[in-house]
Amino acid sequence: MADGKAFYLTTPIYYVNDAPHIGHAYTTTAGDVATRWHRQRGEDVWFLTGVDEHGTKVERAAAAGGVTPQEWVDRLVADAWLPVLGTIDAANDDFIRTTEPRHAERVQRFWEVVRDSGDVYSALYEGPYCVGCEEFKLPGDLVPGTGEFEGQQVCPIHGRPVEQLAEENWFFRLSAFSDRLLAHYEAHPEAVEPRSAYNEVMSFIRQGLQDISMSRSSVSWGIPLSWDERQVIYVWFDALLNYATAAGYGADPESADGQRFARLWPPDVNLVGKDILRFHAVYWPAMLMAAGLEPPRKVFAHGWLLVGGEKMSKSKLTGISPEQIIDTFGSDAFRYYFLRAITFGQDGSFSWEDLHARYTAELANGLGNLASRATAMVGRYRDGLLPAAHDFSPAEQEIIDALAAAVPVADAAFVALDFQGGIAAVRELVEKVNGYVTETEPWALAKDPANAGRLDVVLYTICEALRAIAVLYNPVMPKAMASLWEQLGAAADLGPIAEQRIADVAAWGQLPAGARVTKGDALFPRIDADA
């Protein structure tokens, strides 16, 4: 970035009490596509994800499993959470675990700073607590229960009764930051997106903020308070700090970690699910203000993935693992589908039928068929060598103009986290090129040697357009686009696809005449609807 700051994007750190489902993979995929796009803009990028390993849920799950909490989380991280990053092709720069010493030591240091600022005090907490959310609830947060919980107040997220707590804790003086938070968001309305999330946050702050317990005395699985080891830091006030601790908060400014923190802070984007918006857009920036740190430039709250009309949930047996989809359709189609089919920031429904239909129409029959025809025709008609092209007609100029128009639209959309809009801009270009193939009929031109020059132009135009499409789609579908890049001979002549720059992609004529074009395996093999 121009000011020397890196583009720093984070996912929430996921709670490890169970294996990941596609709701978790959705967030990480969005973060991965966004950061890959920024890398191809030539920016310095840092992409962080990780896991939250403390709190009551983990403590109880480990006890039920007959193991220590550390053994429990070590197994889950090794067997489920780290492997899923490879499954979805995430290119994260760091993976933070809240049980790591680098995190625990820096969390303690952070809260010492906040205590010294006068924003922490000791008091009795009495009230409702949802173990599923690991959240102290306000009475107004609860809703009437139904079914077996009729007559009780329940958590609206988990649909189960909350527990009543009474314990001597340390409190964070959240109420002192109402005016500062309002002023910050009024000056920076882009700091919470989408707009519905911004409105929700402003409404919550204007109702008046209450001080919140930042420690727990009845939980042992957590980071001890450095000044009161009878207590552990409340799991959220431990977990939220991962974005700072992983970046190097608290390290010697001259050390590698300290220099990285200076380069990364503040985060450009904290990606979160909408159910944890309050933590990230109210508690988190207030904590940072208390410690004298700049709040994140943007908290973006995406919607829920719905299955059968309900939020994806392991407890309700609606959790689908990423492997269940990727084993059939591949990681590229997984990444494409969830960002193409759902407006990022809104709820979206998943169905196998919709996934198959879009895969078949847009990937197998659309882009995949275009690539297959192009490479096959260069092989058949020009012995696998890309011909030189001269005398472009208005038909070719339309493709050149369409590419020039698509790039700024796609760039603006991906930078704004409008993945659906970015993909749509590239997909329209694919459709334009497919229409060009249908209109120019290169197979008919090949029948008459008198049309050799015209055939050269058509073949070159199709392949050069695919060169640009491969670069534009690379952040979304890195495996398939790397394959297409190789098939076009671009890797040998233009270098790795990941090093191609968005600003340069529309410059026409980058594929050199004589490039070796080879027909490889289908980018998107057709899949039986019953598979």
Side-chain angles (χ1 to χ4, degrees), residues 149-188:
F149 303 123
E150 189 169 350
Q152 302 181 63
Q153 293 292 100
V154 302
C155 168
I157 304 296
H158 293 91
R160 303 183 66 83
V162 295
E163 298 182 7
Q164 293 297 315
L165 297 184
E167 52 187 55
E168 188 75 27
N169 295 336
W170 290 86
F171 277 68
F172 171 53
R173 207 179 299 278
L174 180 65
S175 60
F177 294 89
S178 297
D179 291 344
R180 285 182 65 183
L181 286 169
L182 285 174
H184 172 68
Y185 287 133
E186 285 167 355
H188 301 283

Side-chain angles (χ1 to χ4, degrees), residues 45 52 60 99 105 119 188 193 206-208 211 263 274 336 361 402 421 441 502 529:
V45 171
D52 177 5
R60 292 180 181 177
T99 52
E105 293 162 4
D119 291 312
H188 301 283
E193 291 186 344
R206 287 185 178 121
Q207 289 171 17
D211 296 347
R263 191 175 100 247
K274 67 178 185 179
Y336 176 91
E441 297 185 312
I502 299 300

Side-chain angles (χ1 to χ4, degrees), residues 98-403:
T98 57
T99 52
E100 291 180 69
R102 62 168 172 160
H103 177 72
E105 293 162 4
R106 291 167 180 173
V107 165
Q108 289 178 322
R109 192 170 307 152
F110 178 93
W111 282 108
E112 288 167 1
V113 170
V114 177
R115 179 200 60 182
D116 292 346
S117 73
D119 291 312
V120 168
Y121 63 92
S122 179
L124 177 69
Y125 173 78
E126 288 189 88
Y129 188 84
C130 174
V131 174
C133 293
E134 292 284 9
E135 181 179 2
F136 298 99
K137 295 290 187 180
L138 302 173
D141 293 335
L142 306 179
V143 298
T146 58
E148 63 177 305
F149 303 123
E150 189 169 350
Q152 302 181 63
Q153 293 292 100
V154 302
C155 168
I157 304 296
H158 293 91
R160 303 183 66 83
V162 295
E163 298 182 7
Q164 293 297 315
L165 297 184
E167 52 187 55
E168 188 75 27
N169 295 336
W170 290 86
F171 277 68
F172 171 53
R173 207 179 299 278
L174 180 65
S175 60
F177 294 89
S178 297
D179 291 344
R180 285 182 65 183
L181 286 169
L182 285 174
H184 172 68
Y185 287 133
E186 285 167 355
H188 301 283
E190 76 286 353
V192 179
E193 291 186 344
R195 189 68 186 183
S196 58
Y198 176 85
N199 292 337
E200 179 185 334
V201 166
M202 295 297 276
S203 174
F204 181 74
I205 298 172
R206 287 185 178 121
Q207 289 171 17
L209 299 179
Q210 299 180 20
D211 296 347
I212 186 168
S213 179
M214 55 77 56
S215 73
R216 298 291 310 278
S217 58
S218 64
V219 179
S220 60
W221 181 239
I223 299 173
L225 273 180
S226 60
W227 67 87
D228 184 353
E229 297 216 347
R230 299 167 302 170
Q231 308 230 7
V232 300
I233 296 167
Y234 168 40
V235 61
W236 270 103
F237 284 0
D238 148 9
L240 286 165
L241 284 167
N242 87 90
Y243 311 124
T245 62
Y249 170 80
D252 181 339
E254 300 303 315
S255 69
D257 277 4
Q259 291 176 9
R260 184 170 70 245
F261 186 76
R263 191 175 100 247
L264 298 182
W265 204 261
D268 292 272
V269 181
N270 285 150
L271 285 184
V272 302
K274 67 178 185 179
D275 51 331
I276 54 175
L277 174 63
R278 185 186 303 175
F279 288 102
H280 284 83
V282 180
Y283 305 163
W284 171 227
M287 289 161 53
L288 292 170
M289 289 173 178
L293 293 174
E294 193 176 341
R297 292 180 174 177
K298 187 187 304 295
V299 173
F300 194 103
H302 67 72
W304 288 340
L305 289 187
L306 307 176
V307 175
E310 288 197 358
K311 180 195 175 192
M312 191 84 50
S313 166
K314 286 286 185 183
S315 62
K316 295 183 179 179
L317 303 180
T318 55
I320 300 169
S321 75
E323 292 84 357
Q324 287 175 269
I325 296 172
I326 290 170
D327 286 350
T328 299
F329 291 92
S331 59
D332 285 320
F334 177 97
R335 294 163 64 95
Y336 176 91
Y337 172 75
F338 282 104
L339 299 184
R340 156 75 178 97
I342 298 167
T343 301
F344 199 64
Q346 298 180 15
D347 292 349
S349 295
F350 166 77
S351 77
W352 291 97
E353 294 77 13
D354 188 47
L355 169 59
H356 183 267
R358 291 183 189 273
Y359 175 89
T360 301
E362 299 174 18
L363 296 181
N365 293 344
L367 177 57
N369 188 50
L370 174 63
S372 178
R373 294 165 87 187
T375 53
M377 287 189 293
V378 174
R380 185 179 309 125
Y381 304 140
R382 293 298 179 261
D383 296 323
L385 297 177
L386 188 68
H390 306 285
D391 302 324
F392 287 130
S393 75
E396 286 74 54
Q397 192 60 48
E398 278 192 30
I399 299 299
I400 296 170
D401 293 344
L403 169 59

Side-chain angles (χ1 to χ4, degrees), residues 399-419:
I399 299 299
I400 296 170
D401 293 344
L403 169 59
V407 172
V409 173
D411 187 41
F414 279 114
V415 168
L417 303 176
D418 175 12
F419 302 106

Side-chain angles (χ1 to χ4, degrees), residues 1-8 38 41-45 262-263 268 297:
M1 299 175 77
D3 58 5
K5 185 196 175 302
F7 178 78
Y8 179 29
H38 279 270
R41 297 177 101 225
E43 297 175 21
D44 181 14
V45 171
R263 191 175 100 247
D268 292 272
R297 292 180 174 177

